């Protein structure tokens, strides 16, 4: 009989024992998640790295997540990702060179701009932010970290998710007049520095294509079809969508919301489809969990059970994730500031 990927993973896990920890983000497919030792949202997974004894961390998620684990790992700990090409498209919307040019021009205003990068960004971006006295946030702590940044300067440069920036600004009550979406074209030459100087929140114009698709009209249609339903969405969705939902929050908040909903509830969830379908299975038949719309992250889906098996059979060698010291050190500083401020 042919050995399946499932069997290969079980055998490798038995062989490696406590020296191995498999991490998986909630957006991973079920046949990957079932092998994970730790499943979580971005913040939970990052928090698990410091203090972890395992020598090998195999990270089932997108590249920036494995890179973050590698930055936070202790010397001698190895981080691998089953598919190197699993790249977050939002992280790719803030290339390091563009950010450098924009930050240089913003500096010329003579105001103290504290950069805050969403964890969905490259190690190079985190390093630049760390060097400039800034920090990192996830969708679970964006409000705390935006306040942290505003307390330390004249304004905050929020990179790269426009929707998360605007949704967090709404939570903190930052008026529209004090927000400015940057024109980052032409290596920063297109910036309107007069408008930027008036704003408290400077916003990089990136977004997640998977969450940006969720529109207010979808919530209206869901409420018409399922009277009395509850709607929960991720804060990477557009502000008009978040405003219409009953709740918004990180993947962990969404999971908790479904758990706490009353028996018999119909819950409409606006986030990545793997998580929505897992919640639907978990809560059936007592509660009905439905997607606001079918929207899947192709990059998360590039990590498969076969690739996980290959990685485990080549532990310490295949698809290792390493960050050069000159990037890792300032990036770690930015991450450390977050871990301390949102403990
Ligand atoms: P969380 O911070 O909720 O884990 O989200 C990460 C992500 O990539 C959402 O698209
Ligand atoms: Fe990036 Fe969006 Fe995929 Fe999350 S869902 S990893 S933000 S592309």
């Amino acid at each position: 009989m042919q050995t399946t990927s499932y069997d290969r993973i079980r055998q490798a896990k038995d062989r490696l024992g406590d020296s191995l920890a498999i991490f998986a983000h909630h957006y991973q497919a079920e046949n990957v998640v079932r092998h994970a030792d730790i499943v979580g949202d971005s913040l939970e997974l990052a928090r698990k790295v410091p203090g972890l004894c395992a020598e090998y961390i195999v990270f089932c998620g997108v590249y920036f997540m494995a890179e973050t684990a590698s930055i936070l790992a202790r010397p001698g700990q190895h981080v691998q990702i089953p598919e190197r090409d699993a790249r977050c498209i939002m992280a790719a919307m803030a290339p390091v060179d563009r950010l450098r040019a924009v930050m240089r021009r913003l500096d010329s205003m003579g105001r103290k701009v504290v950069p805050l990068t969403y964890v969905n960004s490259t190690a190079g971006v985190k390093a630049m932010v760390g060097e400039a006295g800034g920090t990192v946030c996830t969708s679970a702590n964006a409000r705390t970290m935006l306040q942290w940044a505003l307390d330390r300067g004249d304004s905050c440069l929020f990179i790269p998710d426009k929707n998360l920036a605007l949704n967090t600004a709404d939570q903190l009550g930052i008026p529209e007049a004090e927000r400015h979406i940057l024109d980052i074209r032409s290596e920063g030459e297109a910036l309107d520095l007069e408008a930027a100087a008036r704003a408290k929140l400077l916003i990089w114009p990136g977004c997640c294509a998977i969450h940006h698709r969720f529109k207010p009209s979808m919530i209206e249609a869901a409420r018409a079809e399922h009277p009395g339903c509850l709607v929960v969405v991720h804060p990477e969705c557009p502000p008009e969508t978040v405003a219409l939902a009953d709740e918004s929050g990180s993947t962990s908040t969404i999971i908790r919301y479904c758990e706490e909903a009353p028996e018999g509830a119909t819950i409409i969830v606006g986030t990545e489809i793997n998580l929505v379908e897992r919640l639907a299975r978990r809560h059936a038949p007592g509660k009905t969990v439905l997607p606001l719309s079918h929207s899947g992250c192709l990059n998360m889906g590039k990590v498969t059970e076969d690739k996980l098996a290959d990685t485990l059979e080549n532990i310490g060698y295949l698809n290792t994730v390493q960050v050069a010291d000159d990037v890792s050190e300032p990036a770690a500083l930015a991450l450390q500031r977050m871990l301390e401020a949102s403990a």
Side-chain angles (χ1 to χ4, degrees):
M1 209 170 64
Q2 213 193 340
T3 314
T4 63
S5 297
Y6 178 90
D7 297 330
R8 289 166 61 206
I9 293 169
R10 303 314 300 173
Q11 284 159 12
K13 284 189 76 168
D14 285 348
R15 183 167 44 79
L16 291 162
D18 291 344
S19 68
L20 169 72
I22 300 179
F23 281 43
H25 188 268
H26 288 301
Y27 293 169
Q28 289 289 295
E30 196 55 38
N31 63 359
V32 171
V33 166
R34 64 182 170 174
H35 299 293
D37 301 299
I38 300 166
V39 184
D41 69 10
S42 302
L43 182 61
E44 290 167 334
L45 293 172
R47 275 198 181 129
K48 292 285 180 197
V49 179
L52 189 82
C53 292
E55 186 181 347
Y56 303 105
I57 299 172
V58 173
F59 207 115
C60 301
V62 285
Y63 197 81
F64 79 79
M65 294 178 177
E67 220 175 30
T68 301
S70 172
I71 293 164
L72 293 171
R74 60 178 161 74
Q77 223 164 16
H78 304 272
V79 178
Q80 287 165 270
I81 184 165
E83 171 55 63
R84 298 192 83 79
D85 192 40
R87 305 256 169 190
C88 168
I89 40 178
M90 184 206 288
M93 290 179 192
V96 171
D97 290 347
R98 183 72 61 97
L99 177 62
R100 187 176 296 113
V102 167
M103 281 175 59
R104 200 173 292 141
R105 287 220 64 216
L106 291 176
D107 270 354
S108 73
M109 296 188 302
R111 282 163 60 85
K112 186 168 181 211
V113 180
V114 179
L116 171 62
T117 184
Y118 190 23
V119 71
N120 296 37
S121 54
T122 63
V125 166
K126 292 185 181 81
M128 207 178 294
V129 166
E131 266 163 10
T135 186
V136 180
C137 71
T138 73
S139 58
N141 63 17
R143 182 183 175 147
T144 306
M145 299 316 299
L146 177 54
Q147 190 59 60
W148 183 100
L150 291 172
D151 289 345
R152 282 161 180 78
D154 300 312
S155 60
C156 168
L157 166 61
F158 195 108
I159 316 149
D161 188 9
K162 180 176 91 170
N163 288 337
L164 182 62
L166 292 171
N167 288 322
T168 312
D170 284 343
Q171 285 181 337
L172 286 179
I174 299 173
E176 301 267 346
E178 292 181 19
R179 311 171 187 185
H180 177 62
I181 298 172
L182 299 170
D183 185 340
I184 58 165
R185 289 172 300 171
S186 310
E187 298 308 308
E189 289 307 314
L191 288 174
D192 178 347
L193 291 182
E194 274 179 31
R198 286 194 297 271
K200 209 163 154 181
L201 180 59
L202 304 167
I203 302 171
W204 195 271
C207 73
C208 163
I210 286 81
H211 288 90
H212 197 66
R213 276 185 207 138
F214 296 115
K215 302 293 179 213
S217 57
M218 295 175 181
I219 299 187
E220 284 157 7
R223 288 203 170 119
E225 197 178 337
H226 307 280
C229 68
L230 300 168
V231 181
V232 58
V233 301
H234 196 278
E236 288 175 14
C237 295
E240 316 78 74
T241 306
V242 168
L244 219 56
D246 295 296
E247 181 62 284
S248 85
S250 70
T251 48
S252 301
T253 303
I254 292 174
I255 292 167
R256 213 170 28 248
Y257 189 81
C258 292
E259 268 160 18
E260 289 170 2
E263 275 304 290
T266 295
I267 311 145
I268 310 291
V269 182
T271 194
E272 209 275 342
I273 194 68
N274 276 316
L275 175 59
V276 185
E277 288 181 343
R278 187 168 310 117
L279 288 170
R281 284 190 297 274
R282 185 178 299 166
H283 291 292
K287 303 175 198 177
T288 307
V289 176
L290 297 167
L292 183 55
S293 166
H294 190 292
S295 196
C297 180
L298 285 180
N299 280 288
M300 284 280 182
K302 287 178 183 170
V303 173
T304 61
E305 198 175 33
D306 288 353
K307 288 175 186 164
L308 175 58
D310 293 344
T311 306
L312 296 181
E313 286 172 353
N314 291 279
I315 202 74
Y317 297 103
L318 189 68
N319 294 334
T320 54
V321 179
Q322 275 159 327
V323 182
D325 288 350
D326 61 332
V327 174
S328 183
E329 282 163 18
L333 195 67
L335 284 161
Q336 228 51 67
R337 289 181 185 132
M338 172 186 83
L339 294 175
E340 278 160 26
S342 72

